[in-house]
Amino acid sequence: MTSGVVGKKPFYHNMFLQVIMAVVIGVLFGVFSPDLAAKMEPLGSGFIKLVKMMIAPIIFCTVVLGIAKMGDLKEVGRVGMKSLIYFEVITTLALVIGLIVVNILHPGSGLDIDITTLSTESTHKYTVASGSNSTVNFFLNIIPHSLIGAFAEGEVLQILLISVLMGVAIINAGETNSKRIVLMLDEFLSVLFVIINMIMKLAPIGAFGAMAFTIGKYGVASLNNIGYLVLCVYGTCFLFIFTVLGAVAKMSGFSLWKFLIYIRKELALVLGTSSSESALPGIMEKLENLGCKKSVVGMVVPTGYSFNLDGTSIYLTMAAVFVAQATNVDLTLTEQLGIVAVLLLTSKGAAGVTGSGFIVLASTLAALGGKIPMEGLALLLGVDRFMSGARAITNVIGNGVAAIVVARWENALDVERMNMVLNNEVQSLEESNIPQQEGFVLATVSAEDELESK
């Protein structure tokens, strides 16, 4: 790393502004030329595929390095247990808040949908996929058929299992072997992030394609009455972020608003692509730069992408009750709490990619024994894409906050460093006057400039 302040770039070189402009242009293109805009889908899906191909090796390296550098299996278990407890508490709050809001606002009331008029053809692939999503199969599916297969299919939970086993094995392999393997993985991870930074140059193109396709295919007018549900989901996610996560951040000693400004580029990318996975590498890098110990970030964030999906949890409860309201199914309080209980299991392991929420939702409705008609999923197909942005952004923010909280609990957070970065006061390592600690990443320039300059 080099010392000194990176020179200011022209405003149009700012990735955040580029992505926002691309989203706006994509919306306008979809409105004025919907047929042509609908053909832009490969730009968005291609970019997401480029990012997704990097997720598996990055998760593997960060989790293995995180465990190996801890060097103590007790510490690994402690961090993992604290993370899972935090995830369960926060996602339960998200589910309950979604349930409360949908009962207060009643977005599905008045639609009076006759389920016999709904086509099941469009939802068939989701209901078929949900059939194998039982609790037993969920745990069995964590075990991959082969080491290579887990990486080839990009199954996050399977990769996490392999990574944990590898990390534990390295700890038990002896100091000489461990140092050699850790050094190799460290260097490999550095190369992976160089590739990610190259891919991120295409973020505006991906955001444009995804947004143009969404508006061009479904159209703003396609929302109609169901648009109220979209507004309810966005409003509930907003409420959850600034109340629950805001309170958690305050208790942990940092400003949520300043943190959101700090990760604004990643949030813009998520909004444009409707995929929380697109921001995973950048979020991990920024959390380390913020002062979170690398090993904690490597454990908490990848695990959170399967077990801490706050936005998805909000959506799932609201969508399930919405379908019941729209099809005139009366749910008792006990039955609604049953939905929450089922979702505590089925929502775990849902990927942060558009469409996965449908499979989980179908699984939940199936687990309820047909009380809520599966055909009602057809009501959500046309607007699911619009709601995926709210889900993904909430998921990303929730996992960022989780990493800071767990790091604080573990005394693995450089608080002085965090405050200086969030206040944009860190310009160089010499100016920060903070001694570098093992396991922390201290940038030599301000956080945003360093990441922009790569």
Side-chain angles (χ1 to χ4, degrees):
M1 293 185 179
T2 58
S3 299
V5 180
V6 176
K8 282 291 182 181
K9 296 182 179 181
F11 73 93
Y12 49 82
H13 284 177
N14 185 289
M15 181 64 70
F16 171 73
L17 291 178
Q18 288 178 3
V19 172
I20 291 296
M21 289 173 62
V23 170
V24 172
I25 294 172
V27 170
L28 294 175
F29 190 35
V31 170
F32 294 107
S33 184
D35 293 337
L36 185 58
K39 298 178 181 179
M40 298 295 106
E41 191 267 343
L43 295 178
S45 60
F47 172 74
I48 293 175
K49 287 181 69 176
L50 281 173
V51 175
K52 284 189 66 178
M53 77 177 184
M54 303 300 297
I55 295 300
I58 286 177
I59 288 179
F60 174 76
C61 289
T62 51
V63 173
V64 171
L65 286 170
I67 294 174
K69 288 184 176 181
M70 285 181 184
D72 183 359
L73 293 180
K74 290 183 179 179
E75 184 180 355
V76 174
R78 190 175 64 247
V79 172
M81 184 59 65
K82 287 180 179 178
S83 300
L84 292 176
I85 291 174
Y86 174 87
F87 294 160
E88 200 62 35
V89 171
I90 297 299
T91 52
T92 300
L93 283 174
L95 290 168
V96 171
I97 288 175
L99 186 65
I100 292 172
V101 172
V102 77
N103 275 285
I104 293 175
L105 299 180
H106 291 277
S109 297
L111 289 178
D112 297 322
I113 300 295
D114 182 358
I115 61 172
T116 60
T117 65
L118 297 176
S119 171
T120 60
E121 182 178 351
S122 58
T123 62
H124 179 68
K125 62 179 180 180
Y126 300 111
T127 55
V128 169
S130 71
S132 60
N133 204 26
S134 66
T135 302
V136 173
N137 283 332
F138 168 76
F139 286 106
L140 287 177
N141 287 336
I142 295 177
I143 306 172
H145 293 292
S146 67
L147 290 175
I148 303 301
F151 289 90
E153 297 172 9
E155 293 290 342
V156 174
L157 288 178
Q158 294 180 2
I159 295 168
L160 282 173
L161 174 62
I162 295 171
S163 304
V164 170
L165 293 175
M166 181 68 74
V168 172
I170 290 175
I171 291 177
N172 293 321
E175 186 175 351
T176 302
N177 292 330
S178 298
K179 284 184 177 179
R180 188 162 55 243
I181 296 172
V182 167
L183 179 62
M184 180 182 67
L185 287 177
D186 256 331
E187 293 176 349
F188 182 55
L189 184 60
S190 298
V191 174
L192 292 178
F193 274 110
V194 171
I195 298 174
I196 277 292
N197 285 319
M198 293 166 59
I199 293 173
M200 285 304 159
K201 301 292 184 183
L202 302 175
I205 297 175
F208 164 77
M211 193 56 65
F213 164 74
T214 300
I215 302 298
K217 182 174 182 179
Y218 300 113
V220 178
S222 68
L223 298 179
N224 295 326
N225 293 334
I226 305 179
Y228 185 35
L229 173 63
V230 177
L231 293 177
C232 289
V233 170
Y234 272 86
T236 307
C237 287
F238 182 88
L239 175 69
F240 177 83
I241 291 170
F242 287 99
T243 55
V244 176
L245 296 183
V248 170
K250 187 174 182 179
M251 288 187 291
S252 300
F254 69 98
S255 167
L256 178 66
W257 179 250
K258 290 180 180 179
F259 178 68
L260 297 183
I261 294 174
Y262 176 61
I263 61 170
R264 62 188 181 276
K265 185 170 69 175
E266 286 70 28
L267 296 182
L269 179 61
V270 170
L271 180 63
T273 61
S274 295
S275 170
S276 57
E277 286 189 343
S278 63
L280 187 146
I283 283 292
M284 293 178 69
E285 193 171 4
K286 282 197 168 181
L287 285 168
E288 292 172 22
N289 183 74
L290 193 63
C292 294
K293 196 173 181 180
K294 188 183 185 74
S295 58
V296 174
V297 173
M299 283 282 289
V300 176
V301 177
T303 309
Y305 266 65
S306 289
F307 290 92
N308 188 41
L309 301 175
D310 302 330
T312 303
S313 297
I314 290 171
Y315 162 77
L316 289 171
T317 47
M318 297 188 73
V321 178
F322 169 82
V323 172
Q325 292 173 349
T327 54
N328 296 316
V329 175
D330 291 325
L331 296 173
T332 64
L333 177 60
T334 302
E335 289 171 334
Q336 293 193 36
L337 292 177
I339 293 175
V340 172
V342 171
L343 284 172
L344 284 173
L345 291 175
T346 57
S347 63
K348 301 299 184 287
V353 180
T354 305
S356 61
F358 251 88
I359 297 175
V360 176
L361 185 57
S363 303
T364 305
L365 297 188
L368 295 174
K371 176 69 176 181
I372 302 176
M374 194 81 74
E375 295 85 353
L377 291 177
L379 296 171
L380 302 172
L381 276 177
V383 294
D384 180 70
R385 184 91 188 195
F386 291 95
M387 291 183 283
S388 62
R391 299 196 300 261
I393 285 179
T394 308
N395 292 341
V396 168
I397 296 172
N399 283 314
V401 171
I404 297 174
V405 171
V406 175
R408 187 71 184 261
W409 288 348
E410 280 291 299
N411 293 318
L413 175 67
D414 191 328
V415 178
E416 184 180 359
R417 165 77 182 170
M418 176 183 68
N419 290 327
M420 294 183 74
V421 170
L422 293 182
N423 291 326
N424 202 29
E425 295 173 358
V426 176
Q427 296 299 321
S428 68
L429 182 59
E430 291 78 7
E431 291 176 10
S432 69
N433 294 320
I434 303 175
Q436 185 165 358
Q437 305 173 48
E438 184 180 357
F440 289 96
V441 176
L442 296 182
T444 57
V445 295
S446 66
E448 189 66 30
D449 287 339
E450 180 185 18
L451 296 175
E452 289 280 357
S453 65
K454 290 183 177 178

